[in-house]
Amino acid sequence: LDAGGNAGLLTASLARIHGARTMLGVDIDESLVRRAERLVRTQVSVGPPPPHLVATTGAQYPVSLPVRHGGARSPQPEAGATGFPHGVRFRHLNFVQEPASEGAPGTGAAVGQFDTITCLSTSKWVHLCFGDEGLMRLFWRVHAALRPGGRFLLEPQPWSSYRKNRNVSEETKRNFQTIQLRPPHDRSGSDGGGIAEVFRRILVERVGFASCEELAVERHAGESAGFAERPLLLFTKACRRVNNSANAWR
């Protein structure tokens, strides 16, 4: 599950490159969801031609083909078909809406369904648009949506990024002033406690994840300086319950 999948480029790429059996991308912006659906059709179109049409060079269809004529429609999958592209779906959804939409991950009967959930460069927008309550609801629902032993990959943003985007709307401007679960100004936490530690306390000590690991990320020349301020954190849900509480996992 990719929470806040935007136009689906990363969602579809993860599914295709890593061979995910199923992948669901959700986003609050319906126009982005429609773009994501078109993107999958385009990726199918630039893939290898059918074996009987493959030239001796083994070349793929040119990118210009779907750009000019539109992406090919995926063939109708067999019942239960998985993998790319049949197992990739997108849904227009407000992940933190209350009351929750029917079938929203991490709510009602839709719990324990996913092995991995990603939330990349998204938590800031949830926080600005829905405040502390919305951020915690995001984390609780992610935890509930994961299977025991499941993993949550989070790329949080520093407070400096919040400040740059606080005036996007009147709502974000108001919420910016009331946020209490405030991340550090920068990655190192020169103003007290690094980003990784702040979110570790929230997700491990309050939400109930069993562990947190900060992943090493290879940086590239020309990469935006803002991305270098964002750690990549991998949280793991415990494998079993230790008591009768619905949220008590170790």
Side-chain angles (χ1 to χ4, degrees):
L1 168 65
D2 187 17
N6 202 275
L9 179 59
L10 181 61
T11 311
S13 297
L14 286 173
R16 186 173 188 175
I17 293 170
H18 296 285
R21 285 175 53 80
T22 61
M23 172 69 93
L24 173 64
V26 300
D27 200 277
I28 195 172
D29 188 330
E30 188 171 11
S31 66
L32 290 176
V33 172
R34 301 287 84 82
R35 284 175 57 187
E37 292 171 337
R38 291 195 297 272
L39 173 70
V40 171
R41 293 200 298 271
T42 301
Q43 289 200 350
V44 172
S45 301
V46 298
H52 65 283
L53 295 179
V54 175
T56 54
T57 60
Q60 295 183 326
Y61 288 129
V63 174
S64 59
L65 184 65
V67 170
R68 181 167 182 174
H69 300 288
R73 291 192 176 277
S74 303
Q76 187 65 29
E78 298 178 4
T82 57
F84 185 89
H86 306 311
V88 180
R89 297 178 294 115
F90 296 95
R91 181 179 175 186
H92 174 221
L93 176 72
N94 180 347
F95 200 92
V96 299
Q97 178 178 308
E98 185 62 34
S101 302
E102 183 178 357
T107 66
V111 297
Q113 295 182 330
F114 297 94
D115 296 308
T116 303
I117 298 178
T118 59
C119 184
L120 308 175
S121 298
T122 298
S123 58
K124 172 191 72 178
W125 294 109
V126 172
H127 211 173
L128 283 173
C129 292
F130 301 98
D132 289 340
E133 184 177 353
L135 183 70
M136 291 304 299
R137 192 178 298 127
L138 166 69
F139 293 155
W140 281 115
R141 289 182 178 175
V142 163
H143 186 270
L146 285 168
R147 294 187 176 98
R151 295 183 171 186
F152 175 41
L153 189 64
L154 174 68
E155 183 190 36
Q157 294 105 309
W159 188 246
S160 56
S161 182
Y162 283 64
R163 188 178 298 278
K164 290 177 183 177
N165 293 279
R166 68 187 185 279
N167 294 325
V168 167
S169 69
E170 289 300 319
E171 184 177 42
T172 58
K173 189 183 301 185
R174 288 194 302 271
N175 286 334
F176 178 82
Q177 300 298 329
T178 62
I179 287 175
Q180 297 298 311
L181 299 174
R182 181 180 298 189
H185 180 76
D186 53 35
R187 178 171 181 164
S188 64
S190 57
D191 53 348
I195 296 178
E197 175 59 20
V198 169
F199 282 91
R200 185 203 67 80
R201 289 198 300 264
I202 294 173
L203 283 128
V204 174
E205 298 177 10
R206 297 182 60 173
V207 176
F209 279 92
S211 65
C212 170
E213 176 186 359
E214 183 172 356
L215 303 182
V217 179
E218 183 179 353
R219 302 296 177 182
H220 301 280
E223 184 179 36
S224 168
F227 282 97
E229 291 295 329
R230 305 174 187 181
L232 196 59
L233 308 178
L234 183 64
F235 296 89
T236 302
K237 183 174 179 176
C239 294
R240 61 185 179 86
R241 289 179 182 167
V242 295
N243 59 35
N244 294 326
S245 171
N247 292 316
W249 296 83
R250 295 293 184 270

